[in-house]
Each structure stands twice: as structure tokens, then as C-alpha cells.
Amino acid sequence: EEIRIEQRQRGDATSVQVGEAVLRTEEDVRRVVAGPYRDFRRIGMPVSVILDSGPEVPTREVVRVLNDCIKTGIPDVEFADPGE
């Protein structure tokens, strides 16, 4: 399974989404990403969390979401291949 977090710059703001779910806070990451991640792991299914950030997204925003993932118990976040 794959949980893909998409980050895109929209004017002065960065949008962060998993599918249709918008992630604004660490609690959103806990609910939308970490919960399903733990559920998949609990039943023995491999799962990847992929951070897909456009080149226009400020580094501080990428690091913020990466830190939120780590704080919510996801130790192994991958970065999307820029060619995907």
C-alpha cells in the first residue's frame, strides 16, 4: 500500500493533501496518515508513506510535514521521484 502526501505551492500558500483530505496540522497528519499507516502495519501489510513535493514548495514546508510524520510515529518517509 502507499500513502502519498502531495505538497504544492498555490500563490503564497502551500497545500498539503492525501487524496481529498487537506492536512493543516500535526493532528491532521496523525489522523489521515499515521492512523492508516499503523493499521496496515498491524495486519502485516507493507506500506510506504511518500512525500511528493513540487519543486516550488519551500524547503521549510517540506521539513515541517516530514517532522509531523516523524512525531506521529512514521519513521520511514520516502521522497517521490521528481520524474513521477
Side-chain angles (χ1 to χ4, degrees):
E1 289 296 318
E2 173 183 293
I3 300 171
R4 183 172 291 260
I5 302 170
E6 294 185 5
Q7 287 185 288
R8 298 293 179 262
Q9 195 65 27
R10 309 256 192 257
D12 291 339
T14 303
S15 71
V16 183
Q17 292 183 247
V18 173
E20 297 296 317
V22 176
L23 309 178
R24 292 187 180 91
T25 66
E26 183 181 323
E27 183 54 38
D28 292 339
V29 172
R30 183 179 319 280
R31 180 178 46 80
V32 174
V33 181
Y37 173 84
R38 282 190 301 274
D39 292 344
F40 285 127
R41 298 293 299 250
R42 184 175 31 252
I43 62 173
M45 289 183 68
V47 60
S48 298
V49 175
I50 300 172
L51 186 53
D52 182 353
S53 300
E56 73 284 358
V57 175
T59 302
R60 71 181 177 281
E61 291 298 323
V62 175
V63 170
R64 180 186 66 79
V65 172
L66 179 61
N67 284 339
D68 285 349
C69 287
I70 292 167
K71 285 190 250 179
T72 59
I74 303 168
D76 50 353
V77 177
E78 302 172 33
F79 289 94
D81 181 336
E84 287 184 351

